[in-house]
Amino acid sequence: MATINVYTESTPNPSTMKFLVNKLLINGSLDYPDREKAQESDFARELFKFNFVEGVFFASNFVTVTKSEGVEWPDIEPLLKDFVKGAVESELAVKPVEHSEDVNFEGTEVEVKIQQVLHDYVRPAVEQDGGAIAYRSFDNGVVTVELRGSCSGCPSSTITLKAGIEGLLKRMVPEVEEVVAEAL
């Protein structure tokens, strides 16, 4: 078995930290914004046993952890790094076996184009910051997306949404007039 290495990266959201490993954890992404939703994932359920963990998000080779207020990263980061290393080494399940995220774009020609741009250009950048974006709808020129992981509740997500994602979509899909985030 190869040695598992865990690296941390800060994210634009000061409440979240990205824990990267040198192994693929999941194809796609899974968001567990609270303890109740985490029951299907052994890995997430164990992370929520730490009383300072308020959210868990998985994508490709990382897990993003959202901490509670009043707890500082220097105090908990080493503990979480050790936990993530042990969980990956013991192959603790991230998700139930039958939960996959296929890339199937549906809808009108414009909706498919929007989803393709989000998947090809926006998703990789958002994942770099420990989050994910999901297409929800397109209606009268307005694209609605859902922000998950470190993007959910991030102070700079509005800037990312308006300056970054909206600007890109307006340039690449002229029918787009605005991008909004769905409230969770």
Side-chain angles (χ1 to χ4, degrees), residues 66-180:
T66 304
K67 69 171 184 66
S68 54
E69 283 188 40
V71 179
E72 299 302 322
W73 283 116
D75 298 333
I76 62 174
E77 183 180 340
L79 183 66
L80 288 171
K81 277 177 82 169
D82 286 346
F83 172 81
V84 170
K85 179 177 174 52
V88 173
E89 286 174 345
S90 66
E91 299 184 1
L92 196 58
V94 170
K95 64 177 181 172
V97 175
E98 198 53 54
H99 190 269
S100 67
E101 190 171 306
D102 293 330
V103 180
N104 275 341
F105 305 131
E106 296 179 355
T108 65
E109 188 177 329
V110 171
E111 289 173 309
V112 168
K113 194 186 290 186
I114 291 166
Q115 292 169 67
Q116 189 73 52
V117 170
L118 289 173
H119 183 268
D120 293 349
Y121 298 96
V122 178
R123 181 187 55 84
V126 170
E127 283 183 359
Q128 286 273 324
D129 285 337
I133 186 168
Y135 170 81
R136 289 291 163 243
S137 65
F138 176 69
D139 187 37
N140 293 324
V142 178
V143 175
T144 303
V145 296
E146 178 186 341
L147 299 173
R148 299 182 295 192
S150 70
C151 297
S152 178
C154 175
S156 62
S157 65
T158 303
I159 296 166
T160 300
L161 190 69
K162 292 298 180 182
I165 300 166
E166 184 174 283
L168 177 69
L169 279 172
K170 282 178 169 180
R171 283 191 307 278
M172 298 185 82
V173 185
E175 295 86 350
V176 172
E177 297 169 18
E178 185 182 13
V179 178
V180 297

Side-chain angles (χ1 to χ4, degrees), residues 4-24:
I4 298 298
N5 296 310
V6 181
Y7 308 93
T8 57
E9 284 183 6
S10 58
T11 72
N13 183 346
S15 296
T16 67
M17 178 77 68
K18 189 172 166 183
F19 294 82
L20 297 103
V21 297
N22 56 332
K23 179 179 179 181
L24 182 68

